[in-house]
Amino acid sequence: MTGEINLQRRRFMGAAALTLAAAQLGISGVAAAKSASEAGIPAITAGTNTSFASLKQIVAGVLDVGYAELGSGDAPVVILLHGWPYDIHTYVDVAPLLAEAGYRVIIPYLRGYGTTRFLSPEAPRNGQQAAIAADIIALMDALGIERAVIGGCDWGARTANIIAALWPERCKALVSVSGYLIGSREANKMPLPPGAEHAWWYQFYFATDRGRAGYERNRTEFARLIWQLASPKWTFDDATFNRSAAAFENPDHVDITIHNYRWRISLADGEQKYDALEERLAQFPLIGVPTITLEGDANGAPHPEPASYAKKFSGTYEHRLITGGIGHNLPQEAPQAFAQAIIDVDHF
């Protein structure tokens, strides 16, 4: 789920939105997409779309990446990143809205999900934060994408944060659900108040052999429980859940999930090739690209309060609270609001 355990981690207990900067909207230098005023996102009911027309595959870095793509190939690019335990269907309603607004939309399966596979059976099944971000940079290189607006939720939001912080030349603008999620294993050694520790129960479960075996055996039931806890007011149906659950049958899914959560609390090592990146991330670098952060008013997952991360965004910045019982999987629950944020931040 979102967020590393760090000194700023607290559960979001209030319903107040925090808007710290008024955005001055202007037309971007890349002119193919419509301006925000020209492309107000039409109303859409969540669940209107149920699938992507087709999936593509491309070799990128250590992976053969599966991804969905919508829109014109020569349009400005938006990359949308999913989290755990979700998949590309997080954006099944968002992507068509953005394609209609004039964007090329790329939605990849992260390592360990869907049709994404490691090229080598010997490659470490590594879920550390820098590795996942490096995957997306490799994907952009493979697709010939120099810059993109990047949006994310959960693991995808953290990955988008990292790209914006470490590779700002590749990230034109950022939309991040639950804000600043870059983590540090050193900071994660600090204990939290009991209520906050309780919210991370699954991380402690995954730290045990019993937890790994339990997730391997019950991954579908486990994911459904997380969906219910993280979005307590989202009345998703079986068909919606099952479309995403299919992505968890990836042969590397359990290994990646377990390694991710064990790595965070220093129970598993990362790869040495990412050490320099992790050292930079451990300094909690500022993010200078234009950013909109989003939060749902009914997010039941661990997540930081907006006030705790606002100063981490040094460029044009806005925070939006999305109301109406919106939980953790915000893009799928409130696709219109997420798509509008992508268009708006592109024109900050």
Side-chain angles (χ1 to χ4, degrees), residues 87-108:
D87 82 322
I88 63 174
H89 289 87
T90 290
Y91 302 102
V92 72
D93 286 319
V94 171
L97 295 174
L98 293 175
E100 179 62 26
Y103 290 93
R104 177 189 180 192
V105 188
I106 307 292
I107 314 102

PDB file of all heavy atoms in Angstrom, residues 87-108:
ATOM      1  N   ASP A  87      -3.989  -3.237 -10.388  1.00  0.00           N
ATOM      2  CA  ASP A  87      -3.324  -3.459 -11.671  1.00  0.00           C
ATOM      3  C   ASP A  87      -3.714  -2.342 -12.616  1.00  0.00           C
ATOM      4  O   ASP A  87      -4.224  -1.295 -12.191  1.00  0.00           O
ATOM      5  CB  ASP A  87      -3.663  -4.842 -12.233  1.00  0.00           C
ATOM      6  CG  ASP A  87      -5.005  -4.901 -12.973  1.00  0.00           C
ATOM      7  OD1 ASP A  87      -5.977  -4.237 -12.533  1.00  0.00           O
ATOM      8  OD2 ASP A  87      -5.082  -5.611 -13.983  1.00  0.00           O
ATOM      9  N   ILE A  88      -3.504  -2.528 -13.912  1.00  0.00           N
ATOM     10  CA  ILE A  88      -3.751  -1.458 -14.875  1.00  0.00           C
ATOM     11  C   ILE A  88      -5.216  -1.047 -14.937  1.00  0.00           C
ATOM     12  O   ILE A  88      -5.520   0.062 -15.394  1.00  0.00           O
ATOM     13  CB  ILE A  88      -3.238  -1.825 -16.285  1.00  0.00           C
ATOM     14  CG1 ILE A  88      -3.972  -3.040 -16.856  1.00  0.00           C
ATOM     15  CG2 ILE A  88      -1.731  -2.063 -16.255  1.00  0.00           C
ATOM     16  CD1 ILE A  88      -3.604  -3.358 -18.309  1.00  0.00           C
ATOM     17  N   HIS A  89      -6.127  -1.885 -14.444  1.00  0.00           N
ATOM     18  CA  HIS A  89      -7.544  -1.504 -14.466  1.00  0.00           C
ATOM     19  C   HIS A  89      -7.853  -0.360 -13.502  1.00  0.00           C
ATOM     20  O   HIS A  89      -8.952   0.198 -13.537  1.00  0.00           O
ATOM     21  CB  HIS A  89      -8.421  -2.718 -14.166  1.00  0.00           C
ATOM     22  CG  HIS A  89      -8.442  -3.718 -15.280  1.00  0.00           C
ATOM     23  ND1 HIS A  89      -7.503  -4.718 -15.397  1.00  0.00           N
ATOM     24  CD2 HIS A  89      -9.272  -3.842 -16.350  1.00  0.00           C
ATOM     25  CE1 HIS A  89      -7.759  -5.434 -16.478  1.00  0.00           C
ATOM     26  NE2 HIS A  89      -8.819  -4.927 -17.072  1.00  0.00           N
ATOM     27  N   THR A  90      -6.903  -0.005 -12.658  1.00  0.00           N
ATOM     28  CA  THR A  90      -7.041   1.223 -11.883  1.00  0.00           C
ATOM     29  C   THR A  90      -7.360   2.405 -12.792  1.00  0.00           C
ATOM     30  O   THR A  90      -8.051   3.349 -12.391  1.00  0.00           O
ATOM     31  CB  THR A  90      -5.739   1.492 -11.095  1.00  0.00           C
ATOM     32  OG1 THR A  90      -5.618   0.520 -10.051  1.00  0.00           O
ATOM     33  CG2 THR A  90      -5.725   2.875 -10.464  1.00  0.00           C
ATOM     34  N   TYR A  91      -6.895   2.349 -14.035  1.00  0.00           N
ATOM     35  CA  TYR A  91      -7.040   3.466 -14.973  1.00  0.00           C
ATOM     36  C   TYR A  91      -7.946   3.136 -16.159  1.00  0.00           C
ATOM     37  O   TYR A  91      -7.888   3.805 -17.185  1.00  0.00           O
ATOM     38  CB  TYR A  91      -5.653   3.888 -15.469  1.00  0.00           C
ATOM     39  CG  TYR A  91      -4.736   4.293 -14.343  1.00  0.00           C
ATOM     40  CD1 TYR A  91      -3.750   3.428 -13.880  1.00  0.00           C
ATOM     41  CD2 TYR A  91      -4.898   5.523 -13.707  1.00  0.00           C
ATOM     42  CE1 TYR A  91      -2.925   3.791 -12.818  1.00  0.00           C
ATOM     43  CE2 TYR A  91      -4.082   5.888 -12.644  1.00  0.00           C
ATOM     44  CZ  TYR A  91      -3.095   5.015 -12.210  1.00  0.00           C
ATOM     45  OH  TYR A  91      -2.299   5.379 -11.157  1.00  0.00           O
ATOM     46  N   VAL A  92      -8.801   2.137 -16.003  1.00  0.00           N
ATOM     47  CA  VAL A  92      -9.614   1.703 -17.137  1.00  0.00           C
ATOM     48  C   VAL A  92     -10.620   2.774 -17.581  1.00  0.00           C
ATOM     49  O   VAL A  92     -11.001   2.837 -18.755  1.00  0.00           O
ATOM     50  CB  VAL A  92     -10.319   0.365 -16.812  1.00  0.00           C
ATOM     51  CG1 VAL A  92     -11.452   0.553 -15.804  1.00  0.00           C
ATOM     52  CG2 VAL A  92     -10.783  -0.337 -18.079  1.00  0.00           C
ATOM     53  N   ASP A  93     -11.038   3.640 -16.668  1.00  0.00           N
ATOM     54  CA  ASP A  93     -11.910   4.760 -17.029  1.00  0.00           C
ATOM     55  C   ASP A  93     -11.128   6.047 -17.262  1.00  0.00           C
ATOM     56  O   ASP A  93     -11.555   6.907 -18.032  1.00  0.00           O
ATOM     57  CB  ASP A  93     -12.957   5.002 -15.938  1.00  0.00           C
ATOM     58  CG  ASP A  93     -14.048   3.957 -15.915  1.00  0.00           C
ATOM     59  OD1 ASP A  93     -14.510   3.554 -17.003  1.00  0.00           O
ATOM     60  OD2 ASP A  93     -14.438   3.526 -14.813  1.00  0.00           O
ATOM     61  N   VAL A  94      -9.986   6.197 -16.595  1.00  0.00           N
ATOM     62  CA  VAL A  94      -9.172   7.405 -16.753  1.00  0.00           C
ATOM     63  C   VAL A  94      -8.564   7.486 -18.145  1.00  0.00           C
ATOM     64  O   VAL A  94      -8.579   8.544 -18.790  1.00  0.00           O
ATOM     65  CB  VAL A  94      -8.047   7.435 -15.697  1.00  0.00           C
ATOM     66  CG1 VAL A  94      -7.056   8.557 -15.981  1.00  0.00           C
ATOM     67  CG2 VAL A  94      -8.635   7.587 -14.297  1.00  0.00           C
ATOM     68  N   ALA A  95      -8.001   6.389 -18.620  1.00  0.00           N
ATOM     69  CA  ALA A  95      -7.244   6.404 -19.876  1.00  0.00           C
ATOM     70  C   ALA A  95      -8.067   6.867 -21.075  1.00  0.00           C
ATOM     71  O   ALA A  95      -7.592   7.699 -21.864  1.00  0.00           O
ATOM     72  CB  ALA A  95      -6.639   5.029 -20.134  1.00  0.00           C
ATOM     73  N   PRO A  96      -9.305   6.377 -21.275  1.00  0.00           N
ATOM     74  CA  PRO A  96     -10.083   6.873 -22.413  1.00  0.00           C
ATOM     75  C   PRO A  96     -10.378   8.371 -22.333  1.00  0.00           C
ATOM     76  O   PRO A  96     -10.417   9.054 -23.362  1.00  0.00           O
ATOM     77  CB  PRO A  96     -11.374   6.050 -22.346  1.00  0.00           C
ATOM     78  CG  PRO A  96     -11.024   4.830 -21.577  1.00  0.00           C
ATOM     79  CD  PRO A  96     -10.004   5.276 -20.574  1.00  0.00           C
ATOM     80  N   LEU A  97     -10.591   8.882 -21.127  1.00  0.00           N
ATOM     81  CA  LEU A  97     -10.838  10.307 -20.976  1.00  0.00           C
ATOM     82  C   LEU A  97      -9.625  11.118 -21.427  1.00  0.00           C
ATOM     83  O   LEU A  97      -9.761  12.140 -22.119  1.00  0.00           O
ATOM     84  CB  LEU A  97     -11.155  10.626 -19.513  1.00  0.00           C
ATOM     85  CG  LEU A  97     -12.440  10.035 -18.927  1.00  0.00           C
ATOM     86  CD1 LEU A  97     -12.513  10.322 -17.434  1.00  0.00           C
ATOM     87  CD2 LEU A  97     -13.671  10.589 -19.641  1.00  0.00           C
ATOM     88  N   LEU A  98      -8.442  10.668 -21.057  1.00  0.00           N
ATOM     89  CA  LEU A  98      -7.229  11.394 -21.431  1.00  0.00           C
ATOM     90  C   LEU A  98      -6.918  11.242 -22.912  1.00  0.00           C
ATOM     91  O   LEU A  98      -6.445  12.189 -23.555  1.00  0.00           O
ATOM     92  CB  LEU A  98      -6.055  10.911 -20.584  1.00  0.00           C
ATOM     93  CG  LEU A  98      -6.151  11.249 -19.097  1.00  0.00           C
ATOM     94  CD1 LEU A  98      -4.994  10.626 -18.335  1.00  0.00           C
ATOM     95  CD2 LEU A  98      -6.180  12.763 -18.887  1.00  0.00           C
ATOM     96  N   ALA A  99      -7.177  10.074 -23.471  1.00  0.00           N
ATOM     97  CA  ALA A  99      -6.974   9.890 -24.907  1.00  0.00           C
ATOM     98  C   ALA A  99      -7.895  10.818 -25.692  1.00  0.00           C
ATOM     99  O   ALA A  99      -7.478  11.436 -26.684  1.00  0.00           O
ATOM    100  CB  ALA A  99      -7.212   8.436 -25.293  1.00  0.00           C
ATOM    101  N   GLU A 100      -9.129  10.953 -25.253  1.00  0.00           N
ATOM    102  CA  GLU A 100     -10.077  11.842 -25.910  1.00  0.00           C
ATOM    103  C   GLU A 100      -9.638  13.295 -25.786  1.00  0.00           C
ATOM    104  O   GLU A 100      -9.886  14.118 -26.682  1.00  0.00           O
ATOM    105  CB  GLU A 100     -11.470  11.656 -25.300  1.00  0.00           C
ATOM    106  CG  GLU A 100     -12.549  12.555 -25.883  1.00  0.00           C
ATOM    107  CD  GLU A 100     -12.797  12.321 -27.372  1.00  0.00           C
ATOM    108  OE1 GLU A 100     -12.526  11.195 -27.861  1.00  0.00           O
ATOM    109  OE2 GLU A 100     -13.248  13.270 -28.061  1.00  0.00           O
ATOM    110  N   ALA A 101      -8.949  13.617 -24.699  1.00  0.00           N
ATOM    111  CA  ALA A 101      -8.469  14.982 -24.485  1.00  0.00           C
ATOM    112  C   ALA A 101      -7.190  15.283 -25.261  1.00  0.00           C
ATOM    113  O   ALA A 101      -6.690  16.406 -25.201  1.00  0.00           O
ATOM    114  CB  ALA A 101      -8.240  15.215 -22.991  1.00  0.00           C
ATOM    115  N   GLY A 102      -6.660  14.287 -25.969  1.00  0.00           N
ATOM    116  CA  GLY A 102      -5.523  14.548 -26.839  1.00  0.00           C
ATOM    117  C   GLY A 102      -4.191  14.007 -26.381  1.00  0.00           C
ATOM    118  O   GLY A 102      -3.140  14.456 -26.848  1.00  0.00           O
ATOM    119  N   TYR A 103      -4.191  13.021 -25.480  1.00  0.00           N
ATOM    120  CA  TYR A 103      -2.953  12.452 -24.965  1.00  0.00           C
ATOM    121  C   TYR A 103      -2.723  11.032 -25.485  1.00  0.00           C
ATOM    122  O   TYR A 103      -3.668  10.301 -25.802  1.00  0.00           O
ATOM    123  CB  TYR A 103      -2.974  12.403 -23.440  1.00  0.00           C
ATOM    124  CG  TYR A 103      -2.897  13.752 -22.785  1.00  0.00           C
ATOM    125  CD1 TYR A 103      -4.058  14.443 -22.419  1.00  0.00           C
ATOM    126  CD2 TYR A 103      -1.670  14.350 -22.537  1.00  0.00           C
ATOM    127  CE1 TYR A 103      -3.994  15.686 -21.813  1.00  0.00           C
ATOM    128  CE2 TYR A 103      -1.596  15.597 -21.926  1.00  0.00           C
ATOM    129  CZ  TYR A 103      -2.749  16.255 -21.579  1.00  0.00           C
ATOM    130  OH  TYR A 103      -2.687  17.495 -20.991  1.00  0.00           O
ATOM    131  N   ARG A 104      -1.453  10.666 -25.530  1.00  0.00           N
ATOM    132  CA  ARG A 104      -1.053   9.268 -25.677  1.00  0.00           C
ATOM    133  C   ARG A 104      -0.875   8.733 -24.261  1.00  0.00           C
ATOM    134  O   ARG A 104      -0.066   9.253 -23.497  1.00  0.00           O
ATOM    135  CB  ARG A 104       0.256   9.160 -26.454  1.00  0.00           C
ATOM    136  CG  ARG A 104       0.796   7.748 -26.607  1.00  0.00           C
ATOM    137  CD  ARG A 104       2.200   7.784 -27.200  1.00  0.00           C
ATOM    138  NE  ARG A 104       2.744   6.449 -27.366  1.00  0.00           N
ATOM    139  CZ  ARG A 104       4.027   6.194 -27.652  1.00  0.00           C
ATOM    140  NH1 ARG A 104       4.897   7.217 -27.786  1.00  0.00           N
ATOM    141  NH2 ARG A 104       4.452   4.951 -27.775  1.00  0.00           N
ATOM    142  N   VAL A 105      -1.622   7.695 -23.911  1.00  0.00           N
ATOM    143  CA  VAL A 105      -1.661   7.204 -22.534  1.00  0.00           C
ATOM    144  C   VAL A 105      -1.039   5.814 -22.477  1.00  0.00           C
ATOM    145  O   VAL A 105      -1.461   4.901 -23.194  1.00  0.00           O
ATOM    146  CB  VAL A 105      -3.105   7.161 -22.001  1.00  0.00           C
ATOM    147  CG1 VAL A 105      -3.107   6.831 -20.510  1.00  0.00           C
ATOM    148  CG2 VAL A 105      -3.822   8.486 -22.252  1.00  0.00           C
ATOM    149  N   ILE A 106      -0.035   5.663 -21.609  1.00  0.00           N
ATOM    150  CA  ILE A 106       0.665   4.395 -21.422  1.00  0.00           C
ATOM    151  C   ILE A 106       0.402   3.910 -20.001  1.00  0.00           C
ATOM    152  O   ILE A 106       0.635   4.642 -19.039  1.00  0.00           O
ATOM    153  CB  ILE A 106       2.192   4.557 -21.629  1.00  0.00           C
ATOM    154  CG1 ILE A 106       2.508   5.225 -22.972  1.00  0.00           C
ATOM    155  CG2 ILE A 106       2.909   3.222 -21.462  1.00  0.00           C
ATOM    156  CD1 ILE A 106       2.194   4.392 -24.175  1.00  0.00           C
ATOM    157  N   ILE A 107      -0.083   2.666 -19.871  1.00  0.00           N
ATOM    158  CA  ILE A 107      -0.363   2.097 -18.553  1.00  0.00           C
ATOM    159  C   ILE A 107       0.333   0.746 -18.457  1.00  0.00           C
ATOM    160  O   ILE A 107      -0.176  -0.264 -18.941  1.00  0.00           O
ATOM    161  CB  ILE A 107      -1.873   1.925 -18.302  1.00  0.00           C
ATOM    162  CG1 ILE A 107      -2.664   3.175 -18.718  1.00  0.00           C
ATOM    163  CG2 ILE A 107      -2.148   1.618 -16.839  1.00  0.00           C
ATOM    164  CD1 ILE A 107      -3.374   3.008 -20.046  1.00  0.00           C
ATOM    165  N   PRO A 108       1.519   0.689 -17.836  1.00  0.00           N
ATOM    166  CA  PRO A 108       2.258  -0.580 -17.776  1.00  0.00           C
ATOM    167  C   PRO A 108       1.904  -1.414 -16.553  1.00  0.00           C
ATOM    168  O   PRO A 108       1.569  -0.892 -15.484  1.00  0.00           O
ATOM    169  CB  PRO A 108       3.712  -0.110 -17.686  1.00  0.00           C
ATOM    170  CG  PRO A 108       3.627   1.197 -16.948  1.00  0.00           C
ATOM    171  CD  PRO A 108       2.305   1.833 -17.357  1.00  0.00           C
TER     172      PRO A 108
END
